[in-house]
Amino acid sequence: MGKIVCVAVPALLVSGKKSFPRSLLRRSRWCPCTRTWQLCRRHWGCYSSWCWRWRNVTFSNLSPQGPSTELSQGLLFLQTLAGWPVSRVSVTFPLDLTKTRLQVQGEAAVHRNGAATSQAVPYRGMLRTAAGIVQEEGLQKLWQGATPAVYRHIVYSGIRMVAYEHLRDSVLGRAEDESFPFWKAVVGGMSAGAIGQFFASPTDLVKVQMQMEGKRKLEGKPLRFRGVHHAFMKILSEGGIRGLWAGWVPNVQRAALVNMGDLTTYDTVKHFLLLNTSLSDNSVTHSVASCCSGLVAAVLGTPADVVKTRIMNQPRDKQGRGLLYKSSMDCLIQTVKGEGFMSLYKGFIPTWMRMAPWSLVFWLTYEQIRRICGISSF
């Protein structure tokens, strides 16, 4: 069937013009031979009012693999921001809240410093914790802190995906056979996660502290925040800019470990399957790789997540210094000494239950969006 050139697809997608019909994107594809975006002739008439000026125009800086690096990274960043964090948080956030509550239960440092009250909530497992939140605080409290969680994922996921691909393709570089060595995948995954989480750390701080507001109320303590905006402004007024990055060190450490499990495992397992089995680059391969990445990310990230949660939730003095822990290492030592090594895996079940479906949905969706946009597979 005859084809005509249409380069308006990526240009208008990036520019965000409302008049551009998104259905056109599904009817176009990248041609590696002519190095142009092409649209089926039978769909040309109904879109001529948008595209006639782009007839027979090409991008001179496009590579045979598709759009330029700058355009691809711009598209990928927009794709990551395109609404999936909202749906993901809406579905899995109750598990995240339950995980956070479990991670601070039985905190030895609190009892040693005399901060525990007679109304302290007794230790409970995942199901009893979730049921207790509903009974004692209300069903809607399962989503307390969801708004800063959405903010966090927009910043964190958008940056880490673009950063990892840039490190893999431009900085670290592939081997001569186009494979990506495991040690480079580890370095790239940890670096991308650390960079993304550093910029998203203030939103994570607000999320953790808002998630603990219900527990404070049950313990007879005054509430700290009236909402997300008030939380940001109060933290900023009390601790300044540095106060917004309180606990960023364990936060970045945790993100580095999680992404070593997520990005590195997915990239390594996927390409191992493609090179050593009869599987092709399709949804089956993506599903297997994503299931492995979710499990490894939960195993590697939970201990650092426990430390991060406790440091972020601890009370602070007027100078913003923590009253329970001096550093992430101090928190780690106190936790293991006071509660045992397995206390580092408090909240592991809800963490894995949250990461497994998230990883599956994210990677399947991400790969399909790349395919639709004419960008090579991850």
Side-chain angles (χ1 to χ4, degrees), residues 9 15 32 79 91 162 253-254 266 363 373:
V9 177
S15 66
Q79 293 158 13
V91 175
V162 174
Q253 292 169 344
R254 179 253 180 193
Y266 179 84
W363 285 113
C373 290

Side-chain angles (χ1 to χ4, degrees), residues 158-223:
I159 292 177
R160 73 174 183 129
M161 297 306 298
V162 174
Y164 179 80
E165 198 155 6
H166 177 71
L167 289 170
R168 183 186 64 182
D169 298 337
S170 302
V171 179
L172 298 173
R174 296 179 181 270
E176 294 181 358
D177 59 353
E178 291 300 315
S179 63
F180 194 50
F182 179 73
W183 72 269
K184 289 187 177 182
V186 171
V187 173
M190 295 184 70
S191 301
I195 294 170
Q197 188 56 62
F198 176 78
F199 287 101
S201 192
T203 58
D204 216 10
L205 175 66
V206 172
K207 184 202 75 168
V208 169
Q209 295 198 4
M210 289 189 68
Q211 285 178 325
M212 298 308 300
E213 288 297 270
K215 183 174 182 288
R216 289 176 60 87
K217 186 176 182 180
L218 292 177
E219 293 176 348
K221 299 176 182 178
L223 298 181

Side-chain angles (χ1 to χ4, degrees), residues 9-20 22 78:
V9 177
L12 291 179
L13 179 62
V14 173
S15 66
K17 292 183 178 179
K18 296 182 179 179
S19 60
F20 180 73
R22 293 305 176 99
L78 291 175

